[in-house]
Amino acid sequence: LMVTIGLLMTFEGIAGVIWGTIGPGVRLVHQWSGLSPLTISAYRAIAAVVVLVVIALVRRRFATSWSLAVHHWRRVIMVGLLTAAAQLLFFIAVVATGVSIATVACLGFAPVLLLAISCIQRRRLPSRDRALTVVIAVVGLLLVCLAGGAGDQAPNPILGILTALGAGAAFAVSTDVARPLS
């Protein structure tokens, strides 16, 4: 049991590090190897599937996960396609405009879009607390971007911002589509 718990904690820790460093990682891999964002994204997706299957097997949740996926196959495919699109668009944004700007545009747009989707679905304005949370998050991301001197590393800012917004939109929609699966 302790070994299993240790493995799971390690997987979660590794996942957190990978998620938090993917932007700089993509930029470095692209610069050093010349691999395109599409190729990097494909390799990362393949690795993610392998890791997720291993984790599901170790946690003895594979059968349950498979059953859920079969039962909700349309939703699962949509989430997969949106996740792949978000990742690819984010990687293109990182290469085109730099890590800071891509991250701010993507992660700043996603909660704003999710809040808008939620308001449309519920047919009412957001609560003051929800709106304030989104505003604070976006302001925080902007401060991180400005403190990082992001403007110096943007070889193609228009393409980068547009693809980062596309990544944020795909991420937001995939989150909304995946909600019933949670």
Side-chain angles (χ1 to χ4, degrees):
L1 178 64
M2 293 305 287
V3 171
T4 304
I5 291 171
L7 284 173
L8 292 176
M9 289 174 63
T10 302
F11 285 140
E12 290 173 3
I14 291 170
V17 169
I18 290 170
W19 186 86
T21 59
I22 195 62
V26 167
R27 191 153 175 102
L28 289 174
V29 168
H30 175 71
Q31 287 174 344
W32 291 347
S33 70
L35 291 175
S36 71
L38 178 61
T39 304
I40 297 167
S41 182
Y43 284 143
R44 184 172 186 240
I46 291 167
V49 167
V50 170
V51 169
L52 289 172
V53 168
V54 168
I55 290 171
L57 289 169
V58 167
R59 295 182 74 183
R60 295 186 175 126
R61 306 260 322 168
F62 186 82
T64 304
S65 298
W66 184 259
S67 175
L68 181 67
V70 168
H71 185 27
H72 298 282
W73 66 272
R74 287 181 187 93
R75 189 174 295 274
V76 170
I77 288 172
M78 183 62 80
V79 170
L81 291 173
L82 287 166
T83 301
Q87 177 178 275
L88 175 60
L89 291 170
F90 180 71
F91 289 0
I92 292 169
V94 165
V95 170
T97 197
V99 176
S100 297
I101 293 173
T103 302
V104 168
C106 178
L107 293 182
F109 185 57
V112 172
L113 186 58
L114 275 172
L115 185 62
I117 289 170
S118 172
C119 289
I120 290 168
Q121 288 172 340
R122 294 180 313 148
R123 293 188 176 125
R124 60 182 144 160
L125 293 175
S127 69
R128 183 176 49 96
D129 292 343
R130 288 186 75 192
L132 185 61
T133 300
V134 169
V135 168
I136 290 170
V138 172
V139 168
L141 286 167
L142 288 171
L143 290 173
V144 167
C145 180
L146 294 173
D152 301 337
Q153 45 179 289
N156 195 342
I158 293 172
L159 173 67
I161 290 171
L162 289 175
T163 54
L165 291 174
F171 176 70
V173 173
S174 73
T175 300
D176 190 56
V177 171
R179 189 171 316 191
L181 298 174
S182 299

